[in-house]
Amino acid sequence: MLTARRRVVATAAVLAGSLLLVSCGGSDGGSADGRTLRLWHYEGPDSAMGAAWSEAVKEFEAEHPGVKVKFEEKGFEQIQKTAPMVLNSSDAPDIMEYNKGNATAGLLSRQGLLTDLTSEVTKRGWDKKLSAGVKTTSQYDTGGVMGSGKWYGIPNYAEYTMVFYNKALFKKYGVAEPKTFDDLTAAMDTFVAKGVTPLANAGAEYMAQQYLYQLALSKADRSWVDSYELYRGRTDFHDAAWTYGATTFADWVRKGYISKTSSGTKAEDAGVAFIQGKNPVLFSGSWWYGRFTAENKFDWGTVPWPGSDLTLGSGGNLWVVPRGARNKELAYDFIDITMSKKIQNLLGNKGGVPVAADPSAITDPRAKSLIADFNTVSGRDGLAFYPDWPVPGFYDVLVSETQKLITGSATPDACLDALQKAYDKGVPKK
């Protein structure tokens, strides 16, 4: 997903400006003397990944005397939109977090902007630490399609989506905690009747399209996902699953489950609204877990999306090494540290979903539940990736079309027409 998302660490204007300075040669980093590792990522400091990677930086510097990590804070949207330009310049970092999938890491691999990590993967045994489902987004063929070919990225965590709910608000309004889909819709009806908008939503970013996709997934199966994400069959946006997703999403807006004003809301706004107790339910990813643990002042819980074997999820975003990185060996060493038991265990106890932790070392009860639910979803082959992955530019199309469903400026049928057109245009020709 777009995975997220999510953690915008400064205003868009400041972030965009800083990136332009870097891309125009304004950086003083990137020396090839083996003394500096330039690192870009967009995880918030309170997130599980942010905390784990901060510790990994300390470990790295301790193991590499005289070498300093120059961490450059970036925003997800910033890297998502401008990575091809930056990575094709002399100012590429040595290592960076990047979104996985055909339209992102796959596209960069096809453009020759990423380093082939296959030999390092074998030498360092990273492949043996990753499950089959998590490996899918690490490998890309010559056409940039995930699932096979060379290794261009390494995830050191996994992620999946779930229903976060405010137990205090459910109790206040006498609403049963959701265990089935009917429970969820009944709860939302009750909240609406009490003048409360049930769902936190972000129409201007990834969250709205993930509601749409999850609704479709509830009527889909694995072959449907493989056709959509991996081009193993034809995708028809007017089939039963997509039609249900779009019509139900629009109906939820009409019923007041989703606010019409959320068409311009960003993910950060939706997350803060949930933290502040304004909306009792938020459907999003495990990347919020650590932050909610730190900031929620009320009792809260999670449940997998009820009534669906499939949900959004995959291995986490990737560590990629740009083709133009000047300190690649240092980058490989840093990846190795993030895959170590110490960092993996820390990530798990901070509310992340580690890929190589010692289960007995995860002591936090919420973290145990989070990881157990992920293992359940993953064990039934229920990770269905993210809706924006299949073709380049599809994220923006999904944002635009879900915004139209929220405002009522387009019908579900028209929305699906637009998605079909953009998808067909972007699918690689055989």
Side-chain angles (χ1 to χ4, degrees):
M1 126 123 183
L2 195 72
T3 49
R5 10 269 175 192
R6 58 224 191 206
R7 301 160 286 245
V8 178
V9 295
T11 65
V14 171
L15 288 172
S18 65
L19 184 59
L20 287 173
L21 288 174
V22 170
S23 66
C24 294
S27 171
D28 59 359
S31 63
D33 62 2
R35 296 294 181 184
T36 304
L37 176 71
R38 291 181 64 211
L39 165 67
W40 289 7
H41 75 69
Y42 42 77
E43 305 295 338
D46 292 333
S47 71
M49 286 72 73
W53 297 348
S54 291
E55 186 63 26
V57 168
K58 296 177 185 177
E59 288 283 310
F60 176 89
E61 291 184 340
E63 293 181 14
H64 297 76
V67 178
K68 292 295 181 183
V69 176
K70 183 180 179 182
F71 167 52
E72 300 180 32
E73 205 168 48
K74 305 295 176 182
F76 175 82
E77 297 284 338
Q78 173 192 18
I79 292 180
Q80 170 80 4
K81 294 180 181 300
T82 56
M85 176 185 70
V86 175
L87 298 192
N88 206 24
S89 75
S90 61
D91 285 300
D94 297 308
I95 181 173
M96 64 182 281
E97 178 186 14
Y98 197 61
N99 199 22
K100 64 279 182 194
N102 302 341
T104 45
L107 177 62
L108 295 190
S109 72
R110 180 159 54 90
Q111 292 173 336
L113 296 176
L114 301 180
T115 299
D116 175 6
L117 302 176
T118 305
S119 62
E120 290 297 320
V121 169
T122 302
K123 181 171 74 174
R124 296 175 185 257
W126 295 333
D127 54 336
K128 294 181 173 54
K129 295 184 176 184
L130 302 176
S131 67
V134 172
K135 288 179 184 177
T136 299
T137 57
S138 299
Q139 297 175 270
Y140 297 86
D141 64 19
T142 55
V145 179
M146 64 184 179
S148 64
K150 297 178 179 179
W151 289 71
Y152 286 100
I154 302 295
N156 72 336
Y157 69 99
E159 60 184 34
Y160 69 110
T161 54
M162 67 204 77
V163 176
F164 295 88
Y165 64 100
N166 183 327
K167 289 187 176 184
L169 283 180
F170 273 69
K171 183 177 180 179
K172 176 181 177 180
Y173 289 101
V175 180
E177 295 178 14
K179 297 191 181 338
T180 68
F181 187 73
D182 287 343
D183 288 344
L184 180 61
T185 53
M188 292 192 293
D189 284 333
T190 300
F191 282 119
V192 169
K194 300 289 186 179
V196 177
T197 301
L199 299 178
N201 181 51
E205 290 184 348
Y206 64 88
M207 204 171 286
Q209 61 187 256
Q210 292 184 356
Y211 278 111
L212 172 69
Y213 189 51
Q214 180 60 70
L215 287 166
L217 287 175
S218 69
K219 303 297 182 182
D221 58 19
R222 173 53 57 183
S223 64
W224 184 95
V225 174
D226 289 346
S227 293
Y228 177 61
E229 299 279 1
L230 304 177
Y231 319 134
R232 295 175 182 170
R234 182 177 182 275
T235 288
D236 177 8
F237 281 87
H238 289 279
D239 67 11
W242 278 114
T243 299
Y244 173 80
T247 55
T248 302
F249 184 88
D251 189 48
W252 282 11
V253 175
R254 183 183 61 79
K255 288 181 175 179
Y257 298 173
I258 295 171
S259 170
K260 290 186 176 181
T261 61
S262 69
S263 63
T265 301
K266 296 196 172 184
E268 174 69 9
D269 302 321
V272 169
F274 182 73
I275 290 168
Q276 293 176 342
K278 294 179 179 178
N279 303 106
V281 176
L282 179 144
F283 173 68
S284 195
S286 50
W287 50 87
W288 287 103
Y289 211 93
R291 183 170 177 188
F292 289 165
T293 298
E295 298 184 27
N296 286 356
K297 304 302 183 185
F298 49 82
D299 190 16
W300 58 282
T302 65
V303 64
W305 187 272
S308 179
D309 288 335
L310 298 168
T311 196
L312 297 81
S314 69
N317 285 332
L318 304 173
W319 287 128
V320 300
V321 178
R323 178 191 61 192
R326 297 173 182 175
N327 292 295
K328 292 185 180 182
E329 285 298 324
L330 294 179
Y332 306 150
D333 288 350
F334 183 79
I335 293 173
D336 209 42
I337 288 172
T338 68
M339 297 290 281
S340 69
K341 288 291 186 186
K342 178 179 180 179
I343 301 303
Q344 288 288 296
N345 293 344
L346 173 62
L347 193 154
N349 278 310
K350 289 290 186 178
V353 184
V355 296
D358 176 0
S360 65
I362 308 302
T363 58
D364 180 82
R366 285 189 190 275
K368 281 182 175 291
S369 177
L370 174 75
I371 296 168
D373 283 346
F374 173 80
N375 290 338
T376 297
V377 172
S378 180
R380 67 176 181 235
D381 195 22
L383 298 176
F385 312 123
Y386 292 88
D388 60 294
W389 281 11
V391 298
F394 207 49
Y395 174 81
D396 291 334
V397 177
L398 281 162
V399 168
S400 175
E401 294 308 315
T402 51
Q403 283 179 318
K404 292 174 185 176
L405 290 179
I406 295 169
T407 62
S409 61
T411 65
D413 192 57
C415 167
L416 296 173
D417 282 343
L419 295 180
Q420 186 80 63
K421 181 178 179 180
Y423 180 88
D424 289 346
K425 182 179 178 180
V427 170
K429 302 298 185 289
K430 295 182 179 180

